[in-house]
Amino acid sequence: MNNEDYVSYELALKLKACGFDEPCDHYYIKDNAPDGTAWIVPTTYREDFNADSYFPFCKPLCSAPTLAHAQKWLREEKGIDVLVWNCSCGYGWEISKADTQSRGTTLMVYDDNGEDKDSGMWLTYENALYAGIVVALQFIDN
């Protein structure tokens, strides 16, 4: 798995603020980083690194889920589905939510402001998924 398959440190912090508390096999740490950036650290076990009591001497610390893990958490725990689709121009995303009042899925938002300025699409599936997850987290009340 590549580092591109994991959420960024900034997105990991947003997930933590929205209640992400699932075990992960990587975590971010910012302490002792000479350049002030966060480091992603692999572990041999899966743990909820977002727990406040976990490694209290290494703050700030947060879990580093994969994009797919974050997508699954949003769908299963928050009822928000981030869908990625492709076309001849690239990849796009949309967010839908199961709505009990309409007894179906309600399209909440989609975007076509991707990296390709001509088509508005994203160049990779992962970039489109990342953009969709960022917007989906804005629908969650923290």
Side-chain angles (χ1 to χ4, degrees):
M1 194 167 289
N2 299 328
N3 278 352
E4 297 85 37
D5 296 333
Y6 289 88
V7 302
S8 68
Y9 178 63
E10 293 76 20
L11 187 54
L13 290 176
K14 289 178 186 176
L15 283 161
K16 181 178 180 175
C18 289
F20 183 88
D21 61 353
E22 296 195 4
C24 295
D25 59 5
H26 282 69
Y27 64 90
Y28 282 106
I29 188 167
K30 205 167 181 177
D31 284 357
N32 300 322
D35 58 358
T37 61
W39 294 346
I40 187 167
V41 180
T43 65
T44 56
Y45 55 92
R46 294 176 59 81
E47 185 68 43
D48 173 17
F49 297 100
N50 284 339
D52 290 334
S53 62
Y54 203 87
F55 292 140
F57 55 88
C58 294
K59 292 291 181 185
L61 179 83
C62 65
S63 295
T66 62
L67 289 166
H69 191 172
Q71 180 186 31
K72 182 179 179 183
W73 177 79
L74 281 167
R75 183 179 63 248
E76 292 181 355
E77 298 298 322
K78 302 298 182 179
I80 298 173
D81 199 5
V82 180
L83 306 167
V84 177
W85 47 271
N86 70 340
C87 66
S88 61
C89 301
Y91 296 89
W93 61 265
E94 66 184 41
I95 298 172
S96 59
K97 185 170 178 66
D99 182 17
T100 56
Q101 292 176 347
S102 66
R103 296 188 181 144
T105 300
T106 303
L107 178 64
M108 295 173 71
V109 69
Y110 71 96
D111 193 7
D112 57 359
N113 293 318
E115 304 147 326
D116 184 345
K117 300 303 179 198
D118 293 330
S119 68
M121 297 292 109
W122 278 263
L123 302 177
T124 66
Y125 178 94
E126 291 77 15
N127 291 353
L129 180 56
Y130 185 94
I133 290 172
V134 168
V135 173
L137 291 176
Q138 296 172 2
F139 289 103
I140 299 173
D141 295 328
N142 333 0

